[in-house]
Amino acid sequence: MKNFTRFESKGLTESLLKLAKIYKREPWRDHELGKGRRLGAVFLNPSLRTRNSLQIAADHLGLSMQEMNMSRDSWALEMSEGAIMNADKAEHIREAAGVMGAYFDFLAIRCFPNLVDKEADQSDDVLKQFQKYSKLPTVSLESASRHPLQSLADLMTISEHSKKDQPKVVLTWAPHVKAIPHAVAHSFAEWTLGMDMDLTITQPKGYELSDEFTQGAKISYNQEEAIADADFVYVKNWSAFQEYGHTPKVDEDWLLKESQLQKLAPEAKIMHCLPVRRNVELADELLDGDRSLVLHQAKNRIFTAQAVLATLLKQPTSIKV
Ligand code: CP
């Protein structure tokens, strides 16, 4: 594994999950693995879980991590090739990433989509420019297209709480007050389907996800039909993908209720990546009830990130040019 930016294979995922479970039992067992190595963590967008879990994971491995809030602590970045930089952007990505390549051994980047230019977002142009000009092994901390660290923690959480070899997993759209990226939903589909899991996706008309990520999933426009007999219900909002970044009006009530689960999926556990808007996206009764796995998911972010960092650290040191 040279980078960690997307699902690669079932075999790699199984080995990362196995290692993450070992680290959950013994977090300090490889506390010298990262000694003398540096991780630069660049945040172009806010984060609570990803930032802190990555820092704790790095600490467990003795890896020195330095983080930077790009939008607040550094110069505004110009991303366009051939730009005449006579406006507000003071530094070009070529120099910014190039300098980081000289300072660090690994780079981790959080860069959300703009939800305007679908092609640029889905090609992960910001992430790729950081990779190209830093020449460093890279970890995605959520890019425009995907959130792989979240998905790996979600798989770990499902595996810890599943009573079946092949649980029924449902990804359901939920309401929100603003346009939300597709990265978590797309990644969750990519990783669960990559692991040959039984995935049903339910959403209102107009909120269909990209075929690139959902091939092999059952699709339903009826939430109650979709959640019947579910073992895990992953609740998440996303904006429209076809009418990119728009939020078409939805007349039906998509806020999931405990009474629906009692009737249709009494064993179902509830998942969400967080942050969550209470009683908009997910009701108090579900978040605070016994079904909720949201804090387990958040805790597992530490050990899955640790497994990813450890796997990268075990690769032969990259030669910089
Ligand atoms: N789930 C998640 O990535 O949380 P943060 O945005 O707080 O990092």
Side-chain angles (χ1 to χ4, degrees), residues 165-225:
D165 289 341
Q166 187 63 296
K168 177 175 176 180
V169 181
V170 177
L171 170 62
T172 179
W173 184 90
H176 208 287
V177 293
K178 57 183 244 194
I180 295 291
H182 312 90
V184 169
H186 277 160
S187 243
F188 186 73
E190 179 178 51
W191 285 72
T192 49
L193 294 169
M195 296 305 284
D196 296 326
M197 294 174 78
D198 174 7
L199 178 68
T200 302
I201 302 173
T202 182
Q203 77 258 315
K205 290 257 185 228
Y207 284 90
E208 295 82 1
L209 290 166
S210 163
D211 291 345
E212 184 191 340
F213 296 93
T214 58
Q215 290 285 333
K218 299 176 195 89
I219 307 291
S220 170
Y221 294 99
N222 181 324
Q223 191 186 45
E224 291 211 335
E225 193 178 271

Short mmCIF file of all heavy atoms in Angstrom, two decimals, residues 165-225:
data_model
loop_
_atom_site.label_atom_id
_atom_site.label_comp_id
_atom_site.label_asym_id
_atom_site.label_seq_id
_atom_site.Cartn_x
_atom_site.Cartn_y
_atom_site.Cartn_z
N ASP A 165 -22.77 -13.77 9.61
CA ASP A 165 -21.67 -13.69 8.63
C ASP A 165 -22.00 -12.68 7.54
O ASP A 165 -21.12 -11.99 7.04
CB ASP A 165 -21.43 -15.05 7.96
CG ASP A 165 -20.80 -16.03 8.94
OD1 ASP A 165 -20.25 -15.56 9.96
OD2 ASP A 165 -20.90 -17.25 8.70
N GLN A 166 -23.27 -12.63 7.15
CA GLN A 166 -23.68 -11.73 6.08
C GLN A 166 -24.85 -10.87 6.56
O GLN A 166 -26.02 -11.12 6.23
CB GLN A 166 -24.06 -12.56 4.83
CG GLN A 166 -24.34 -11.77 3.58
CD GLN A 166 -23.15 -11.00 3.05
OE1 GLN A 166 -22.63 -10.08 3.70
NE2 GLN A 166 -22.70 -11.32 1.86
N PRO A 167 -24.57 -9.84 7.36
CA PRO A 167 -25.66 -9.01 7.87
C PRO A 167 -26.29 -8.17 6.76
O PRO A 167 -25.63 -7.87 5.76
CB PRO A 167 -24.95 -8.10 8.89
CG PRO A 167 -23.54 -8.04 8.44
CD PRO A 167 -23.24 -9.36 7.80
N LYS A 168 -27.54 -7.80 6.95
CA LYS A 168 -28.18 -6.87 6.01
C LYS A 168 -27.82 -5.45 6.43
O LYS A 168 -28.14 -5.02 7.55
CB LYS A 168 -29.70 -7.05 5.99
CG LYS A 168 -30.38 -6.05 5.06
CD LYS A 168 -31.87 -6.25 4.90
CE LYS A 168 -32.45 -5.13 4.04
NZ LYS A 168 -33.89 -5.22 3.83
N VAL A 169 -27.17 -4.74 5.52
CA VAL A 169 -26.72 -3.36 5.80
C VAL A 169 -27.52 -2.42 4.91
O VAL A 169 -27.64 -2.66 3.70
CB VAL A 169 -25.21 -3.23 5.50
CG1 VAL A 169 -24.73 -1.81 5.80
CG2 VAL A 169 -24.40 -4.23 6.32
N VAL A 170 -28.06 -1.38 5.52
CA VAL A 170 -28.85 -0.40 4.76
C VAL A 170 -28.22 0.98 4.92
O VAL A 170 -27.89 1.39 6.04
CB VAL A 170 -30.31 -0.37 5.26
CG1 VAL A 170 -31.12 0.70 4.51
CG2 VAL A 170 -30.96 -1.74 5.09
N LEU A 171 -28.04 1.65 3.81
CA LEU A 171 -27.61 3.05 3.83
C LEU A 171 -28.82 3.89 3.48
O LEU A 171 -29.36 3.77 2.37
CB LEU A 171 -26.49 3.26 2.79
CG LEU A 171 -26.06 4.70 2.48
CD1 LEU A 171 -25.50 5.39 3.72
CD2 LEU A 171 -25.02 4.71 1.35
N THR A 172 -29.28 4.69 4.42
CA THR A 172 -30.47 5.50 4.14
C THR A 172 -30.15 6.99 4.13
O THR A 172 -29.43 7.50 4.98
CB THR A 172 -31.62 5.25 5.14
OG1 THR A 172 -32.73 6.10 4.79
CG2 THR A 172 -31.24 5.55 6.58
N TRP A 173 -30.69 7.65 3.12
CA TRP A 173 -30.65 9.11 3.04
C TRP A 173 -31.46 9.67 4.21
O TRP A 173 -32.44 9.07 4.65
CB TRP A 173 -31.27 9.57 1.71
CG TRP A 173 -31.21 11.04 1.46
CD1 TRP A 173 -30.21 11.72 0.82
CD2 TRP A 173 -32.20 12.01 1.79
NE1 TRP A 173 -30.51 13.06 0.75
CE2 TRP A 173 -31.73 13.27 1.34
CE3 TRP A 173 -33.44 11.96 2.44
CZ2 TRP A 173 -32.46 14.45 1.50
CZ3 TRP A 173 -34.16 13.14 2.60
CH2 TRP A 173 -33.68 14.37 2.14
N ALA A 174 -31.03 10.80 4.75
CA ALA A 174 -31.76 11.47 5.83
C ALA A 174 -31.81 12.96 5.51
O ALA A 174 -30.98 13.47 4.75
CB ALA A 174 -31.03 11.24 7.15
N PRO A 175 -32.75 13.67 6.09
CA PRO A 175 -32.87 15.10 5.78
C PRO A 175 -31.70 15.92 6.33
O PRO A 175 -31.00 15.49 7.26
CB PRO A 175 -34.17 15.51 6.49
CG PRO A 175 -34.86 14.24 6.84
CD PRO A 175 -33.80 13.20 7.00
N HIS A 176 -31.51 17.12 5.79
CA HIS A 176 -30.48 18.04 6.29
C HIS A 176 -30.92 19.45 5.93
O HIS A 176 -31.89 19.62 5.19
CB HIS A 176 -29.11 17.70 5.66
CG HIS A 176 -27.95 18.06 6.53
ND1 HIS A 176 -27.54 19.36 6.71
CD2 HIS A 176 -27.13 17.31 7.29
CE1 HIS A 176 -26.50 19.38 7.54
NE2 HIS A 176 -26.23 18.14 7.91
N VAL A 177 -30.17 20.43 6.44
CA VAL A 177 -30.55 21.82 6.16
C VAL A 177 -29.72 22.44 5.06
O VAL A 177 -29.97 23.57 4.65
CB VAL A 177 -30.43 22.69 7.44
CG1 VAL A 177 -31.45 22.27 8.48
CG2 VAL A 177 -29.01 22.62 8.01
N LYS A 178 -28.66 21.72 4.62
CA LYS A 178 -27.82 22.30 3.57
C LYS A 178 -27.27 21.20 2.67
O LYS A 178 -27.45 20.00 2.96
CB LYS A 178 -26.69 23.12 4.19
CG LYS A 178 -25.81 22.34 5.14
CD LYS A 178 -24.76 23.24 5.76
CE LYS A 178 -23.39 22.77 5.33
NZ LYS A 178 -22.28 23.29 6.03
N ALA A 179 -26.59 21.60 1.63
CA ALA A 179 -26.02 20.63 0.67
C ALA A 179 -24.78 19.97 1.29
O ALA A 179 -23.85 20.65 1.70
CB ALA A 179 -25.65 21.33 -0.62
N ILE A 180 -24.82 18.65 1.33
CA ILE A 180 -23.75 17.88 1.98
C ILE A 180 -23.05 17.03 0.91
O ILE A 180 -23.69 16.50 0.01
CB ILE A 180 -24.40 16.97 3.07
CG1 ILE A 180 -25.01 17.82 4.19
CG2 ILE A 180 -23.41 15.96 3.63
CD1 ILE A 180 -24.03 18.57 5.06
N PRO A 181 -21.71 16.87 1.03
CA PRO A 181 -20.97 16.05 0.06
C PRO A 181 -21.41 14.59 0.04
O PRO A 181 -22.06 14.10 0.97
CB PRO A 181 -19.52 16.16 0.55
CG PRO A 181 -19.46 17.41 1.35
CD PRO A 181 -20.81 17.54 1.99
N HIS A 182 -20.95 13.88 -0.99
CA HIS A 182 -21.31 12.47 -1.19
C HIS A 182 -20.25 11.52 -0.66
O HIS A 182 -20.43 10.30 -0.72
CB HIS A 182 -21.51 12.21 -2.69
CG HIS A 182 -22.36 13.24 -3.34
ND1 HIS A 182 -21.86 14.39 -3.90
CD2 HIS A 182 -23.71 13.32 -3.46
CE1 HIS A 182 -22.85 15.13 -4.35
NE2 HIS A 182 -23.98 14.51 -4.09
N ALA A 183 -19.12 12.07 -0.18
CA ALA A 183 -17.94 11.24 0.08
C ALA A 183 -18.22 10.10 1.06
O ALA A 183 -17.80 8.97 0.82
CB ALA A 183 -16.80 12.12 0.61
N VAL A 184 -18.91 10.37 2.16
CA VAL A 184 -19.14 9.32 3.15
C VAL A 184 -20.04 8.24 2.57
O VAL A 184 -19.76 7.04 2.69
CB VAL A 184 -19.74 9.91 4.45
CG1 VAL A 184 -20.23 8.80 5.38
CG2 VAL A 184 -18.71 10.78 5.16
N ALA A 185 -21.11 8.65 1.91
CA ALA A 185 -22.05 7.67 1.35
C ALA A 185 -21.38 6.86 0.23
O ALA A 185 -21.50 5.63 0.19
CB ALA A 185 -23.29 8.39 0.81
N HIS A 186 -20.67 7.53 -0.66
CA HIS A 186 -19.99 6.82 -1.74
C HIS A 186 -18.95 5.84 -1.19
O HIS A 186 -18.83 4.70 -1.64
CB HIS A 186 -19.32 7.82 -2.68
CG HIS A 186 -20.26 8.39 -3.70
ND1 HIS A 186 -20.03 9.56 -4.38
CD2 HIS A 186 -21.47 7.95 -4.16
CE1 HIS A 186 -21.03 9.81 -5.22
NE2 HIS A 186 -21.92 8.85 -5.09
N SER A 187 -18.19 6.31 -0.23
CA SER A 187 -17.15 5.46 0.35
C SER A 187 -17.76 4.26 1.06
O SER A 187 -17.25 3.14 0.94
CB SER A 187 -16.34 6.26 1.37
OG SER A 187 -15.01 6.38 0.99
N PHE A 188 -18.82 4.51 1.82
CA PHE A 188 -19.46 3.41 2.54
C PHE A 188 -19.93 2.34 1.54
O PHE A 188 -19.74 1.14 1.77
CB PHE A 188 -20.64 3.92 3.38
CG PHE A 188 -21.25 2.87 4.26
CD1 PHE A 188 -20.58 2.42 5.39
CD2 PHE A 188 -22.49 2.31 3.96
CE1 PHE A 188 -21.13 1.42 6.20
CE2 PHE A 188 -23.05 1.33 4.76
CZ PHE A 188 -22.37 0.88 5.89
N ALA A 189 -20.50 2.78 0.43
CA ALA A 189 -20.93 1.82 -0.60
C ALA A 189 -19.71 1.13 -1.21
O ALA A 189 -19.71 -0.10 -1.39
CB ALA A 189 -21.73 2.55 -1.68
N GLU A 190 -18.68 1.90 -1.52
CA GLU A 190 -17.48 1.31 -2.14
C GLU A 190 -16.86 0.22 -1.25
O GLU A 190 -16.50 -0.85 -1.73
CB GLU A 190 -16.45 2.43 -2.39
CG GLU A 190 -15.16 1.95 -3.02
CD GLU A 190 -14.18 3.08 -3.29
OE1 GLU A 190 -13.90 3.88 -2.38
OE2 GLU A 190 -13.67 3.17 -4.41
N TRP A 191 -16.77 0.49 0.05
CA TRP A 191 -16.09 -0.44 0.95
C TRP A 191 -16.98 -1.64 1.29
O TRP A 191 -16.50 -2.77 1.36
CB TRP A 191 -15.62 0.28 2.22
CG TRP A 191 -14.42 1.13 1.96
CD1 TRP A 191 -14.39 2.31 1.28
CD2 TRP A 191 -13.06 0.87 2.35
NE1 TRP A 191 -13.10 2.79 1.21
CE2 TRP A 191 -12.27 1.93 1.87
CE3 TRP A 191 -12.44 -0.15 3.06
CZ2 TRP A 191 -10.89 2.00 2.07
CZ3 TRP A 191 -11.06 -0.08 3.27
CH2 TRP A 191 -10.30 0.98 2.78
N THR A 192 -18.26 -1.42 1.54
CA THR A 192 -19.13 -2.56 1.88
C THR A 192 -19.29 -3.48 0.67
O THR A 192 -19.18 -4.70 0.79
CB THR A 192 -20.51 -2.10 2.38
OG1 THR A 192 -21.04 -1.13 1.47
CG2 THR A 192 -20.46 -1.50 3.77
N LEU A 193 -19.49 -2.88 -0.50
CA LEU A 193 -19.64 -3.72 -1.71
C LEU A 193 -18.32 -4.37 -2.08
O LEU A 193 -18.29 -5.52 -2.52
CB LEU A 193 -20.18 -2.87 -2.87
CG LEU A 193 -21.62 -2.35 -2.68
CD1 LEU A 193 -21.96 -1.32 -3.73
CD2 LEU A 193 -22.63 -3.50 -2.70
N GLY A 194 -17.22 -3.66 -1.86
CA GLY A 194 -15.89 -4.24 -2.10
C GLY A 194 -15.65 -5.46 -1.23
O GLY A 194 -14.94 -6.39 -1.63
N MET A 195 -16.28 -5.48 -0.07
CA MET A 195 -16.14 -6.62 0.85
C MET A 195 -17.28 -7.62 0.65
O MET A 195 -17.51 -8.50 1.50
CB MET A 195 -16.13 -6.13 2.31
CG MET A 195 -14.93 -5.24 2.65
SD MET A 195 -13.35 -6.01 2.27
CE MET A 195 -13.17 -7.16 3.62
N ASP A 196 -18.01 -7.48 -0.46
CA ASP A 196 -19.11 -8.40 -0.82
C ASP A 196 -20.22 -8.43 0.22
O ASP A 196 -20.82 -9.49 0.48
CB ASP A 196 -18.58 -9.82 -1.06
CG ASP A 196 -17.63 -9.88 -2.24
OD1 ASP A 196 -17.84 -9.12 -3.19
OD2 ASP A 196 -16.67 -10.67 -2.18
N MET A 197 -20.49 -7.31 0.85
CA MET A 197 -21.56 -7.27 1.86
C MET A 197 -22.91 -7.03 1.18
O MET A 197 -22.98 -6.57 0.04
CB MET A 197 -21.26 -6.18 2.90
CG MET A 197 -20.02 -6.53 3.71
SD MET A 197 -19.49 -5.23 4.82
CE MET A 197 -20.66 -5.45 6.11
N ASP A 198 -23.97 -7.35 1.92
CA ASP A 198 -25.34 -7.21 1.43
C ASP A 198 -25.79 -5.77 1.73
O ASP A 198 -26.14 -5.46 2.87
CB ASP A 198 -26.21 -8.25 2.17
CG ASP A 198 -27.68 -8.10 1.86
OD1 ASP A 198 -28.04 -7.30 0.98
OD2 ASP A 198 -28.48 -8.80 2.52
N LEU A 199 -25.74 -4.92 0.71
CA LEU A 199 -26.03 -3.49 0.92
C LEU A 199 -27.28 -3.07 0.16
O LEU A 199 -27.40 -3.32 -1.04
CB LEU A 199 -24.84 -2.62 0.44
CG LEU A 199 -25.05 -1.11 0.57
CD1 LEU A 199 -25.11 -0.67 2.04
CD2 LEU A 199 -23.96 -0.33 -0.17
N THR A 200 -28.17 -2.41 0.89
CA THR A 200 -29.35 -1.77 0.28
C THR A 200 -29.20 -0.26 0.48
O THR A 200 -28.86 0.18 1.59
CB THR A 200 -30.65 -2.25 0.95
OG1 THR A 200 -30.73 -3.67 0.83
CG2 THR A 200 -31.88 -1.61 0.34
N ILE A 201 -29.43 0.49 -0.57
CA ILE A 201 -29.39 1.96 -0.46
C ILE A 201 -30.79 2.49 -0.70
O ILE A 201 -31.45 2.10 -1.67
CB ILE A 201 -28.40 2.57 -1.48
CG1 ILE A 201 -26.99 2.00 -1.29
CG2 ILE A 201 -28.38 4.10 -1.36
CD1 ILE A 201 -25.99 2.41 -2.36
N THR A 202 -31.24 3.37 0.19
CA THR A 202 -32.57 3.95 0.01
C THR A 202 -32.48 5.47 0.05
O THR A 202 -31.80 6.04 0.91
CB THR A 202 -33.59 3.39 1.04
OG1 THR A 202 -34.86 3.96 0.79
CG2 THR A 202 -33.18 3.67 2.48
N GLN A 203 -33.13 6.09 -0.91
CA GLN A 203 -33.10 7.55 -1.01
C GLN A 203 -34.33 8.04 -1.75
O GLN A 203 -34.94 7.27 -2.49
CB GLN A 203 -31.83 8.01 -1.75
CG GLN A 203 -31.86 7.83 -3.26
CD GLN A 203 -31.08 6.62 -3.75
OE1 GLN A 203 -29.98 6.37 -3.33
NE2 GLN A 203 -31.68 5.86 -4.66
N PRO A 204 -34.68 9.33 -1.57
CA PRO A 204 -35.79 9.87 -2.35
C PRO A 204 -35.37 10.03 -3.82
O PRO A 204 -34.18 10.10 -4.11
CB PRO A 204 -36.03 11.25 -1.72
CG PRO A 204 -35.19 11.31 -0.50
CD PRO A 204 -34.10 10.31 -0.65
N LYS A 205 -36.34 10.11 -4.70
CA LYS A 205 -36.05 10.38 -6.12
C LYS A 205 -35.26 11.69 -6.22
O LYS A 205 -35.53 12.65 -5.51
CB LYS A 205 -37.36 10.55 -6.89
CG LYS A 205 -38.12 9.25 -7.04
CD LYS A 205 -37.97 8.67 -8.45
CE LYS A 205 -38.85 7.45 -8.58
NZ LYS A 205 -38.28 6.29 -9.13
N GLY A 206 -34.25 11.66 -7.06
CA GLY A 206 -33.41 12.85 -7.25
C GLY A 206 -32.13 12.80 -6.45
O GLY A 206 -31.22 13.60 -6.67
N TYR A 207 -32.06 11.85 -5.49
CA TYR A 207 -30.86 11.76 -4.63
C TYR A 207 -30.05 10.48 -4.92
O TYR A 207 -29.30 10.02 -4.07
CB TYR A 207 -31.26 11.82 -3.16
CG TYR A 207 -31.60 13.24 -2.73
CD1 TYR A 207 -32.90 13.71 -2.82
CD2 TYR A 207 -30.61 14.10 -2.28
CE1 TYR A 207 -33.22 15.01 -2.45
CE2 TYR A 207 -30.91 15.40 -1.91
CZ TYR A 207 -32.22 15.85 -1.99
OH TYR A 207 -32.51 17.15 -1.63
N GLU A 208 -30.17 9.94 -6.14
CA GLU A 208 -29.42 8.74 -6.51
C GLU A 208 -27.92 9.03 -6.44
O GLU A 208 -27.46 10.08 -6.90
CB GLU A 208 -29.78 8.30 -7.93
CG GLU A 208 -31.22 7.84 -8.10
CD GLU A 208 -32.22 9.00 -8.28
OE1 GLU A 208 -31.79 10.17 -8.31
OE2 GLU A 208 -33.43 8.72 -8.39
N LEU A 209 -27.17 8.09 -5.88
CA LEU A 209 -25.71 8.23 -5.82
C LEU A 209 -25.09 7.83 -7.16
O LEU A 209 -25.78 7.36 -8.05
CB LEU A 209 -25.17 7.37 -4.68
CG LEU A 209 -25.52 7.86 -3.27
CD1 LEU A 209 -25.25 6.77 -2.24
CD2 LEU A 209 -24.74 9.13 -2.91
N SER A 210 -23.78 7.98 -7.26
CA SER A 210 -23.07 7.65 -8.50
C SER A 210 -23.04 6.14 -8.73
O SER A 210 -22.68 5.39 -7.82
CB SER A 210 -21.66 8.20 -8.43
OG SER A 210 -20.86 7.60 -9.41
N ASP A 211 -23.32 5.73 -9.97
CA ASP A 211 -23.24 4.30 -10.33
C ASP A 211 -21.84 3.75 -10.07
O ASP A 211 -21.68 2.56 -9.81
CB ASP A 211 -23.55 4.10 -11.82
CG ASP A 211 -25.00 4.38 -12.12
OD1 ASP A 211 -25.78 4.44 -11.16
OD2 ASP A 211 -25.34 4.56 -13.30
N GLU A 212 -20.84 4.61 -10.18
CA GLU A 212 -19.45 4.17 -9.99
C GLU A 212 -19.27 3.49 -8.63
O GLU A 212 -18.46 2.58 -8.49
CB GLU A 212 -18.52 5.39 -10.10
CG GLU A 212 -17.06 5.06 -10.01
CD GLU A 212 -16.18 6.29 -9.86
OE1 GLU A 212 -16.62 7.42 -10.18
OE2 GLU A 212 -15.04 6.12 -9.39
N PHE A 213 -20.04 3.93 -7.64
CA PHE A 213 -19.86 3.40 -6.29
C PHE A 213 -20.94 2.40 -5.88
O PHE A 213 -20.75 1.68 -4.92
CB PHE A 213 -19.88 4.56 -5.28
CG PHE A 213 -18.74 5.52 -5.45
CD1 PHE A 213 -18.88 6.66 -6.22
CD2 PHE A 213 -17.51 5.28 -4.84
CE1 PHE A 213 -17.83 7.54 -6.38
CE2 PHE A 213 -16.46 6.14 -5.00
CZ PHE A 213 -16.61 7.28 -5.78
N THR A 214 -22.05 2.38 -6.57
CA THR A 214 -23.21 1.64 -6.05
C THR A 214 -23.55 0.37 -6.83
O THR A 214 -24.55 -0.28 -6.51
CB THR A 214 -24.45 2.55 -6.01
OG1 THR A 214 -24.69 3.04 -7.34
CG2 THR A 214 -24.25 3.73 -5.08
N GLN A 215 -22.73 0.04 -7.84
CA GLN A 215 -22.97 -1.19 -8.61
C GLN A 215 -22.98 -2.39 -7.67
O GLN A 215 -22.01 -2.59 -6.94
CB GLN A 215 -21.86 -1.41 -9.64
CG GLN A 215 -21.87 -0.43 -10.79
CD GLN A 215 -22.97 -0.71 -11.79
OE1 GLN A 215 -23.40 -1.84 -11.93
NE2 GLN A 215 -23.42 0.33 -12.48
N GLY A 216 -24.06 -3.16 -7.67
CA GLY A 216 -24.14 -4.34 -6.81
C GLY A 216 -25.02 -4.12 -5.60
O GLY A 216 -25.40 -5.09 -4.93
N ALA A 217 -25.36 -2.86 -5.30
CA ALA A 217 -26.26 -2.59 -4.17
C ALA A 217 -27.71 -2.72 -4.63
O ALA A 217 -28.02 -2.48 -5.79
CB ALA A 217 -26.02 -1.19 -3.64
N LYS A 218 -28.60 -3.09 -3.68
CA LYS A 218 -30.04 -3.03 -3.99
C LYS A 218 -30.46 -1.58 -3.75
O LYS A 218 -30.02 -0.96 -2.77
CB LYS A 218 -30.81 -3.96 -3.05
CG LYS A 218 -30.41 -5.42 -3.18
CD LYS A 218 -31.16 -6.27 -2.15
CE LYS A 218 -30.51 -7.63 -2.02
NZ LYS A 218 -29.44 -7.69 -1.01
N ILE A 219 -31.28 -1.07 -4.63
CA ILE A 219 -31.70 0.34 -4.52
C ILE A 219 -33.21 0.38 -4.29
O ILE A 219 -33.96 -0.34 -4.97
CB ILE A 219 -31.37 1.12 -5.81
CG1 ILE A 219 -29.88 0.97 -6.20
CG2 ILE A 219 -31.77 2.59 -5.66
CD1 ILE A 219 -28.89 1.63 -5.30
N SER A 220 -33.63 1.21 -3.33
CA SER A 220 -35.07 1.35 -3.07
C SER A 220 -35.40 2.81 -2.80
O SER A 220 -34.60 3.53 -2.18
CB SER A 220 -35.46 0.50 -1.86
OG SER A 220 -36.77 0.81 -1.46
N TYR A 221 -36.56 3.22 -3.27
CA TYR A 221 -37.02 4.58 -2.98
C TYR A 221 -37.99 4.60 -1.80
O TYR A 221 -38.56 5.63 -1.47
CB TYR A 221 -37.68 5.20 -4.22
CG TYR A 221 -36.69 5.41 -5.34
CD1 TYR A 221 -36.58 4.50 -6.38
CD2 TYR A 221 -35.82 6.50 -5.32
CE1 TYR A 221 -35.64 4.68 -7.39
CE2 TYR A 221 -34.88 6.69 -6.31
CZ TYR A 221 -34.80 5.77 -7.34
OH TYR A 221 -33.86 5.95 -8.33
N ASN A 222 -38.17 3.42 -1.18
CA ASN A 222 -39.11 3.28 -0.08
C ASN A 222 -38.30 2.91 1.17
O ASN A 222 -37.80 1.80 1.31
CB ASN A 222 -40.12 2.19 -0.43
CG ASN A 222 -41.15 2.00 0.67
OD1 ASN A 222 -40.85 2.11 1.85
ND2 ASN A 222 -42.37 1.70 0.26
N GLN A 223 -38.16 3.87 2.09
CA GLN A 223 -37.29 3.66 3.25
C GLN A 223 -37.76 2.49 4.10
O GLN A 223 -36.95 1.68 4.57
CB GLN A 223 -37.24 4.95 4.09
CG GLN A 223 -36.17 4.92 5.17
CD GLN A 223 -36.25 6.14 6.07
OE1 GLN A 223 -37.33 6.53 6.51
NE2 GLN A 223 -35.11 6.75 6.35
N GLU A 224 -39.07 2.37 4.33
CA GLU A 224 -39.57 1.30 5.20
C GLU A 224 -39.32 -0.07 4.58
O GLU A 224 -38.92 -1.00 5.26
CB GLU A 224 -41.07 1.50 5.49
CG GLU A 224 -41.31 2.71 6.39
CD GLU A 224 -42.52 2.56 7.28
OE1 GLU A 224 -43.44 1.80 6.91
OE2 GLU A 224 -42.56 3.20 8.34
N GLU A 225 -39.55 -0.15 3.28
CA GLU A 225 -39.28 -1.42 2.57
C GLU A 225 -37.79 -1.78 2.68
O GLU A 225 -37.43 -2.92 2.92
CB GLU A 225 -39.66 -1.20 1.10
CG GLU A 225 -39.77 -2.42 0.25
CD GLU A 225 -40.21 -1.99 -1.15
OE1 GLU A 225 -41.43 -1.92 -1.38
OE2 GLU A 225 -39.33 -1.70 -1.99
#
